[in-house]
Amino acid sequence: MKRISSIVWICIIFIALYSCSVKKFIPEDEYLYTGANIEIEADTTIKDEPQLKAELENVLRPQPNSKILGGYPGVYFYYKANREKPGFINKFLNKNFGEEPVYISEVDLTNTEDLLLNRLENRGFFYSRVSSDTAINAKAKTGTASFKLRVPEPYTMETYQLDTDTMLVYTEIKRKMENSLLEKGMRFDLPDLKAERERIDADLKQSGYYNFNPGFLLFEADTNQYNTKRFDLYLKLKKNVPAKSIIPYEISNVNVYANYNIDEDSITRNFKRYKNKNYFQENIFFKPERLDPYILIETGDYYDPEISRNTSRRLGSIGSYKFVNIEYEEIDTLATDSIGLLQANIYLSPLKKRAIRVELQAVTKSNSFTGPHLAVTFANRNLFKGGESLNISANVGYEFQVSSGERLSSLQLGLKNDLIIPRLIFPIEVNNNFFKYDIPRTKVSLAGDLLNRSKLFTLGSVSASFGWFWNANKYVSHELTPISLNYVSLTNTSPEFDKILEENPFLRSSFDQEFISGLTYSFIYNGLIDTNKKHAFFFNSNLDVAGNTVSLLGKEAPSGNKEVFGLEYAQYAKIDGDLHYHFRLPNNHVIATRLFAGIGIPYGNSEVLPFSKQYFSGGPYSVRAFRIRSLGPGTYYPQQADANDPASSTVGYFDQSGNIRLEANAEYRFPLITYLNGAFFIDAGNVWNTPKVAKASRTSETDPPRGAFSSNFINELGIGGGAGLRVDIQNFVIRVDLAFPFHDPNLPNGPEWVFDFGRPVLNFGIGYPF
């Protein structure tokens, strides 16, 4: 690996040195264009001058070649690939990174001057002047352009009025002007006028004006009333606007085709009238009373495209339909009619009611256990003809580990049932209008798992939960689970594992919490869905509180702890937050960052968090230079059963956890070729214990607290970096990351900077890490 790393660095140095030497390739009568600058001289202070200058710079053409570290590698690759016998490497580099050179002779100064003047006039700076020039650097074989703009005082608006008429639409437009984007004193601005037209059009459509168009609105500016640079702005309708465009439309009927097949004629005459809607279906596929709350379009209401979009989104969220199509049909309307009529037809094309999915995986874990996993999922997407989804998942996994000539194995069995009901199941009836954006869905889960680790233990668990999840708006979603029950039973322990627990009371106590009863809440803000935003954020916060309700029923056991139904229960509070920030650069380049922080506090009946609720660090979605669960807590160094075989430590696999977790990640992502992206990344993180838990984790009174969090936590971070490849096919991502440790906190002599490029960690993952 050291040899490969050396080759990579040699290639980088080669490109950095030689990408600057494009001068010898530039034709004798040409000069490489390095860009243009704009200088503005204004008679008055320009409001939002930086934004205006940025807009003017956007019209400059052509764009100069990309410059990296003072050189032009893209141009260099282009020149090398276009010589005789370029070779495979040069052709490859040119295809993926090459740029055709841009010369100063390609700059059309006159045309650019016209574009700049046009943009200034659109922004209210009439009678501006522009001059331009070029500068040549004969020695460097480069050329630049410059544009000097003389900008007079802009025209500003004095009044904004509507040319009145007796038509009903004028009354409606005048009412819409109360929320105008235009205000007195603003300068003439063509984009603002276009935005005002589109705003009025959108408001009119929400009032039923189905056939209206923003192109029907006309602005006129009058400067004759003023000696200074002011104007009156008038808004009116164009002449000969179609009569049907200036009347509101009302919904006369709503037809819902609940079982429509787009591939064949599935229109039926059978229908049921329910709450002023016609539900067409040959046989009952979806009960009208269950479907109706999702449909916001009502007979007698005015046409509103926003209500139509919301109805489409809500119907699509049920999970039973593949396509939702809403069409409006005009009922014959005369030119003299003061109101039009529309019939709304809602076509719902269902997914297949039943589906089976089979997944076969090969799993390799950090404790050297390897083996196949099989998962089978059965789904019924419309169980009781009300959009209910039942998912039954069964999985079986067999893993084995060969260490010191001895074969260890692990068998995992699991069965999970999820029933998702697309409505709110709550003791008190809640008005559907309370949740305007989305109807909450109720989720009921029941699961059982069995883990048999040969020569160690058998661990069985049963869990049940009841809760709701819903979207508050386009970006925000919530999930609240007020009832969450989990029962864990550790049986069939071997003498070897009993000895481990005997030597580590802290570990034993994490398995002794047999019963977990609590409440969980999750908040998600996802701004990453706006793919055009330059700055995008994602935030997820989780709250998990257990044991408070059942403590009211708890009775003291012989051990001193409290029990309920003969089971010792856990008490803790846990909260964490996960923040992502993406800085999107041109040409699909992204700088992605992540910050995670979480803490869990045991109290009352618990000295330690249950093992399943503890934090772990390291792995393909964490600090990638360290294997799964191999970091921390703090500077804790797990004692190995075999110094030459880290995987032989059974104790370390269970010990390296904590109730505090901090992680930070940064990644530069860039495209390589079709469907293949690359990345460079750096990760840092660790887990710790609160001082009280760290003290309780000691195996003897003479031991120091294990992994206690302190003000020195920065020096206890595991840090690593590396590079990766991502195969991205329509947002299905297969990821391979090669990472190297830079700073290791879990060494025998304490934390050290290692920069160990000879000890790489290869990570495989599905999806991006953050």
Side-chain angles (χ1 to χ4, degrees), residues 348-570:
L348 305 176
S349 301
L351 291 160
K352 288 185 178 181
K353 185 175 180 179
R354 299 175 182 85
I356 295 179
R357 185 180 65 198
V358 179
E359 295 181 7
L360 180 63
Q361 300 176 335
V363 177
T364 299
K365 294 184 177 179
S366 62
N367 57 343
S368 299
F369 273 86
T370 303
H373 277 233
L374 176 67
V376 180
T377 302
F378 168 78
N380 187 316
R381 299 188 176 97
N382 192 16
L383 184 62
F384 304 119
K385 299 181 180 180
E388 302 86 359
S389 296
L390 175 65
N391 299 307
I392 302 175
S393 301
N395 63 80
V396 57
Y398 177 77
E399 302 167 7
F400 61 89
Q401 176 195 57
V402 178
S403 178
S404 303
E406 186 177 9
R407 184 185 179 94
L408 303 176
S409 64
S410 172
L411 177 65
Q412 294 178 259
L413 301 174
L415 182 65
K416 185 177 183 181
N417 301 273
D418 289 332
L419 177 62
I420 299 175
I421 305 169
R423 52 192 171 274
L424 183 66
I425 306 298
F426 194 68
I428 303 174
E429 185 176 351
V430 178
N431 192 314
N432 287 330
N433 293 329
F434 182 80
F435 298 95
K436 295 183 179 180
Y437 187 84
D438 191 20
I439 294 178
R441 281 157 282 180
T442 302
K443 183 178 180 180
V444 182
S445 297
L446 180 64
D449 292 283
L450 180 69
L451 172 63
N452 179 268
R453 187 66 56 82
S454 68
K455 301 184 180 181
L456 288 176
F457 60 86
T458 298
L459 185 68
S461 66
V462 178
S463 62
S465 64
F466 176 90
W468 312 282
F469 60 99
W470 70 98
N471 297 319
N473 53 48
K474 179 182 177 181
Y475 304 102
V476 175
S477 62
H478 305 269
E479 183 168 356
L480 175 62
T481 305
I483 301 175
S484 178
L485 306 174
N486 189 16
Y487 169 69
V488 180
S489 176
L490 181 66
T491 60
N492 298 331
T493 58
S494 66
E496 293 87 351
F497 191 68
D498 286 335
K499 184 179 179 181
I500 293 173
L501 296 181
E502 184 179 345
E503 294 176 351
N504 194 334
F506 177 77
L507 181 59
R508 173 181 288 278
S509 62
S510 69
F511 281 100
D512 283 345
Q513 309 293 329
E514 295 178 317
F515 185 58
I516 303 174
S517 173
L519 172 149
T520 63
Y521 169 72
S522 177
F523 169 88
I524 295 177
Y525 171 83
N526 186 9
L528 301 181
I529 58 176
D530 286 340
T531 56
N532 295 324
K533 276 192 174 182
K534 187 174 183 180
H535 304 279
F537 292 89
F538 170 92
F539 178 70
N540 178 25
S541 181
N542 299 285
L543 174 67
D544 185 353
V545 180
N548 290 345
T549 303
V550 295
S551 65
L552 301 175
L553 307 174
K555 296 181 179 180
E556 188 170 339
S559 63
N561 287 339
K562 288 187 176 182
E563 294 181 346
V564 62
F565 309 126
L567 302 173
E568 185 176 320
Y569 59 88

Side-chain angles (χ1 to χ4, degrees), residues 81 161 563 566 643 684 733:
Q161 307 171 47
E563 294 181 346
V733 178

Side-chain angles (χ1 to χ4, degrees), residues 265-326:
D265 184 9
S266 59
I267 301 298
T268 177
R269 294 179 180 273
N270 295 334
F271 72 93
K272 178 181 178 180
R273 187 77 173 169
Y274 182 80
K275 289 191 175 180
N276 295 322
K277 302 182 188 70
N278 300 320
Y279 288 86
F280 288 85
Q281 43 193 334
E282 192 68 32
N283 299 303
I284 296 297
F285 172 79
F286 206 118
K287 296 176 182 178
E289 60 270 24
R290 296 302 185 195
L291 195 57
D292 189 76
Y294 287 86
I295 300 174
L296 303 176
I297 304 170
E298 298 290 346
T299 301
D301 288 351
Y302 282 117
Y303 163 79
D304 187 339
E306 185 66 22
I307 289 178
S308 184
R309 285 190 293 269
N310 290 343
T311 297
S312 180
R313 186 194 66 251
R314 286 160 70 105
L315 289 169
S317 71
I318 295 175
S320 299
Y321 289 108
K322 178 169 50 176
F323 298 112
V324 176
N325 185 25
I326 301 177

Side-chain angles (χ1 to χ4, degrees), residues 671-685:
L672 292 174
I673 56 178
T674 307
Y675 302 129
L676 182 63
N677 299 327
F680 297 107
F681 58 85
I682 185 168
D683 307 317

Side-chain angles (χ1 to χ4, degrees), residues 332-343:
D332 290 340
T333 304
L334 300 177
T336 56
D337 289 346
S338 60
I339 193 168
L341 297 177
L342 291 175
Q343 178 173 275

Side-chain angles (χ1 to χ4, degrees), residues 733-755:
V733 178
I734 299 175
R735 175 169 53 90
V736 180
D737 289 325
L738 188 65
F740 304 90
F742 299 160
H743 185 263
D744 191 343
N746 302 134
L747 295 176
N749 298 323
E752 291 184 13
W753 290 98
V754 291
F755 294 103

